[in-house]
Amino acid sequence: MRSVVPADAVLESMVDEGDLDGLFAQVTIDDVAAAWCRYSSRVRDYEHHDDDRDWWARSLFMSNEIYLRSDLHRALLLKLVEYADEPGLLAAVGAGPLEDFISDNDDDLRWLERECSTNAKLRQALSSVWAKVSEPTFVRLDAAAGSVLERPRDI
C-alpha cells in the first residue's frame, strides 16, 4: 500500500533537523527513492532547487545523519537502484549517493561486493562512481562493478 507523503516543507524540515526517525514515521524508503528519482529526472541544475517538491529526498543523501545509520543508508541505496528505471538515473545514483557512500571502509566494501554479485543494476550504477579511495579499494570496486572504474587524476 502506498503511503501518503506529507507536504515537502515538512519533510525538508525533518531532513534539515536530522530527524530521520520523524521522517521515516512519515515516509517509506520507497517514497524516498521515488522522490529522489523524480527530482533527478527533472533537475540538472542543483543550485536551483528551492521550489522543487522532491528536493527533500535529494537533501537526505547529503545529510550527516544518513551516514550514522548504516543499515538504513544501504537499504536506501538499494531502493534508489531499484527505482532508477533508465541508464541516466542509474548513472546519477552512481555519481551521487553511491559515490558519496564509497570509502575504504571494509564493512561497506564487503556489503557492496556481496550486493553487486547478484544485482546487475547496482553494478551498472557502481560503474559511474568516481571516488578517491586507495588502490586496493579500487581493485575491489572494479571486481564488484565488473569493469575498471575511472581513477581520479591529480590536477
Side-chain angles (χ1 to χ4, degrees):
M1 181 169 98
R2 178 93 172 116
S3 65
V4 176
V5 179
D8 58 302
V10 172
L11 300 177
E12 182 64 31
S13 176
M14 289 178 188
V15 170
D16 288 347
E17 294 167 9
D19 183 9
L20 296 189
D21 291 330
L23 179 70
F24 284 99
Q26 300 294 316
V27 300
T28 66
I29 62 173
D30 288 283
D31 295 328
V32 173
W36 190 95
C37 287
R38 281 192 307 268
Y39 177 84
S40 296
S41 292
R42 286 191 309 272
V43 178
R44 298 295 178 221
D45 179 2
Y46 298 122
E47 296 299 317
H48 298 94
H49 59 71
D50 294 339
D51 60 351
D52 195 287
R53 71 183 184 277
D54 294 318
W55 170 250
W56 65 271
R58 176 115 172 47
S59 182
L60 174 62
F61 287 94
M62 295 183 286
S63 72
N64 291 330
E65 287 73 19
I66 197 68
Y67 292 93
L68 302 175
R69 309 256 308 254
S70 172
D71 290 343
L72 176 61
H73 195 181
R74 292 170 179 183
L76 284 164
L77 289 170
L78 292 176
K79 196 57 75 169
L80 286 180
V81 167
E82 178 185 326
Y83 271 69
D85 59 359
E86 60 171 271
L89 274 177
L90 275 175
V93 171
L98 186 58
E99 182 172 290
D100 294 340
F101 173 81
I102 299 291
S103 73
D104 290 307
N105 179 287
D106 190 59
D107 188 49
D108 288 341
L109 288 169
R110 280 186 280 120
W111 172 81
L112 191 57
E113 289 165 332
R114 186 175 52 254
E115 291 298 325
C116 281
S117 73
T118 60
N119 188 330
K121 287 178 76 175
L122 183 58
R123 284 191 304 274
Q124 185 177 350
L126 182 58
S127 70
S128 297
V129 165
W130 194 65
K132 291 185 178 183
V133 293
S134 67
E135 186 57 30
T137 295
F138 264 120
V139 170
R140 293 175 70 179
L141 293 172
D142 291 343
S147 63
V148 177
L149 301 182
E150 184 174 343
R151 273 39 174 189
R153 292 181 214 92
D154 290 330
I155 297 176

